[in-house]
Amino acid sequence: MRQKTSWVPLVILLVGLVTACTTLPFGRTPEQSFVVTGASLEALGTQFLAVTKQVTEGCNLNAIPSNICTRYRLFGEHFKASYPVVIGMWEAAYKAGNDTARQRAEETAVSLSKDLAAFMVEILNQVAPEVK
Amino acid sequence: MAASIAMALLPMLPQIVDSTIKVAQIVRDLHGTPEEAKAQLDQITKDLQGIVAQVVATELPK
C-alpha cells in the first residue's frame, strides 16, 4: 500500500526557512547581510514563478476552485507590482550601504513570502486534502 | 482526481527546494572576504534582474 505523503508541512517548512534566513541574526558583516537578503529575494522570486505556473495551469484546467483562482490572480498582480519595487529598494540600499533600507526591503519580502506560503497551503488543502 | 491534481502541483516542489537550499548554502558559506561578498552581490544583482523580468512577464490565472 502506498504511503500517504505529508507535504504541506514540508512546504511550510521550506518557505519558513527562506523567511528565517532573512531574519535570524548571524553576526554578519554589512556585505554578508546584503548577500543573504539578496539570495532570499532570489528564492522568493523563484518560488513565486514556480507556484504561479502550477496554479495557472490548475486554474486553466478548472482543477482549482475559481474563488481561489480569482484571489490568487489579485495576489499575483500585487506581487508583480511589489517585487520589482522590493528589488529596487534592495539595490538602492546596497549601493548606498544603507542597512535600514535593506531591512525595509527584507520586511516587505518576508510579508510577500508569508502570503505566498499561505496560498500554497490553502490550495493544497483544497485540491488534495486526502494527500496530506 | 484530487491525486492527479496533487501530482500536477508536485513539480513546483523541486524548484522551491532548490531555491531554499541555495539560500541555506549561502548562509553556511558566509566566511568569505569583503571582495568575495562583493562578487556574490554583483552576481545576485544580475540574477535578480532576470528574475524580475520573469516575474513581471509571468501569466496569472484568468
Side-chain angles (χ1 to χ4, degrees):
Chain A
M1 191 175 131
R2 192 168 151 247
Q3 191 179 357
K4 290 187 177 180
T5 311
S6 177
W7 51 304
V8 171
L10 174 68
V11 172
I12 296 169
L13 178 71
L14 293 174
V15 178
L17 177 61
V18 173
T19 57
C21 284
T22 66
T23 52
L24 289 174
F26 283 101
R28 303 175 189 129
T29 66
E31 290 84 8
Q32 289 171 340
S33 294
F34 278 106
V35 168
V36 173
T37 306
S40 299
L41 289 172
E42 270 189 65
L44 175 62
T46 303
Q47 290 174 0
F48 173 76
L49 291 170
V51 174
T52 301
K53 182 173 183 287
Q54 298 305 324
V55 171
T56 301
E57 284 177 13
C59 290
N60 289 344
L61 294 170
N62 295 320
I64 295 175
S66 61
N67 66 319
I68 294 180
C69 295
T70 302
R71 286 177 39 232
Y72 191 84
R73 187 182 69 241
L74 293 174
F75 166 72
E77 287 167 357
H78 168 65
F79 191 101
K80 286 171 73 167
S82 302
Y83 188 73
V85 174
V86 175
I87 301 303
M89 284 167 65
W90 176 83
E91 283 181 349
Y94 163 45
K95 283 175 185 164
N98 185 334
D99 196 57
T100 305
R102 180 192 63 78
Q103 287 175 17
R104 221 173 288 134
E106 192 174 280
E107 285 163 12
T108 310
V110 168
S111 172
L112 288 172
S113 180
K114 283 179 182 169
D115 290 346
L116 181 61
F119 261 110
M120 289 165 66
V121 171
E122 182 180 353
I123 290 165
L124 291 171
N125 274 328
Q126 288 278 331
V127 301
E130 75 267 31
V131 187
K132 285 190 297 179
Chain B
M1 177 66 176
S4 65
I5 297 165
M7 292 304 289
L9 286 167
L10 277 174
M12 71 185 177
L13 284 177
Q15 288 163 285
I16 291 167
V17 171
D18 285 349
S19 58
T20 305
I21 288 172
K22 187 179 173 188
V23 174
Q25 285 173 336
I26 284 173
V27 171
R28 190 197 62 200
D29 296 338
L30 278 179
H31 307 296
T33 63
E35 290 74 25
E36 287 168 336
K38 188 177 180 312
Q40 274 185 306
L41 282 164
D42 289 344
Q43 185 60 50
I44 288 170
T45 303
K46 281 182 197 163
D47 293 345
L48 281 171
Q49 294 309 318
I51 294 172
V52 166
Q54 289 180 67
V55 164
V56 170
T58 196
E59 184 191 354
L60 295 173
K62 301 258 184 316

